[in-house]
Amino acid sequence: MKGILVGAAIGYVLGAKAGRERYDQIVRLWHRFTANPTVRKTAAQAKDKAFEAAVQAKDKATDVAEKAAEKAPWRHQEETNGKISTPPMTPRR
C-alpha cells in the first residue's frame, strides 16, 4: 500500500512539472496504443487465459476443500440409535 502511495505522489509531482501539454500527449499516445488491433488481440487472449486459469484454480480449490472435509474429524462420527455421537477429542500436545 505504501508503495502505491509513493508511486502516486511521484507521478503527481512529475505530471505537475510536465504540464497539461505533456499530459495530453501521453493520453493521445495511450489511446493510440490501446486502439492498435494487435494490442487488442493480445489483451483479449490474455483475458481469456486468465479466465481459464481462474476456473482451473477454482476447480482445484474445490477438490482440495472436499478432500480436506472428508478427512475432518467431524466426518467420522458414529451413528447410534439414529443420533450422531462425536468421538471424544484427544488432547493436543
Side-chain angles (χ1 to χ4, degrees), residues 36-54:
N36 184 319
T38 304
V39 172
R40 286 181 174 267
K41 181 180 177 185
T42 304
Q45 289 172 343
K47 179 182 172 185
D48 292 342
K49 286 188 179 193
F51 181 78
E52 289 173 19

Side-chain angles (χ1 to χ4, degrees), residues 1-58:
M1 181 67 180
K2 189 184 259 187
I4 293 173
L5 294 175
V6 170
I10 291 171
Y12 175 78
V13 170
L14 293 176
K17 288 185 178 184
R20 180 68 185 195
E21 292 175 11
R22 179 68 178 143
Y23 171 79
D24 290 339
Q25 181 185 19
I26 292 169
V27 169
R28 283 193 306 273
L29 287 171
W30 176 254
H31 287 296
R32 194 177 324 151
F33 174 76
T34 57
N36 184 319
T38 304
V39 172
R40 286 181 174 267
K41 181 180 177 185
T42 304
Q45 289 172 343
K47 179 182 172 185
D48 292 342
K49 286 188 179 193
F51 181 78
E52 289 173 19
V55 168
Q56 290 174 353
K58 179 190 79 76

Side-chain angles (χ1 to χ4, degrees), residues 52-73:
E52 289 173 19
V55 168
Q56 290 174 353
K58 179 190 79 76
D59 291 343
K60 188 171 184 177
T62 301
D63 291 343
V64 170
E66 287 174 356
K67 287 178 184 176
E70 289 172 6
K71 293 180 180 179

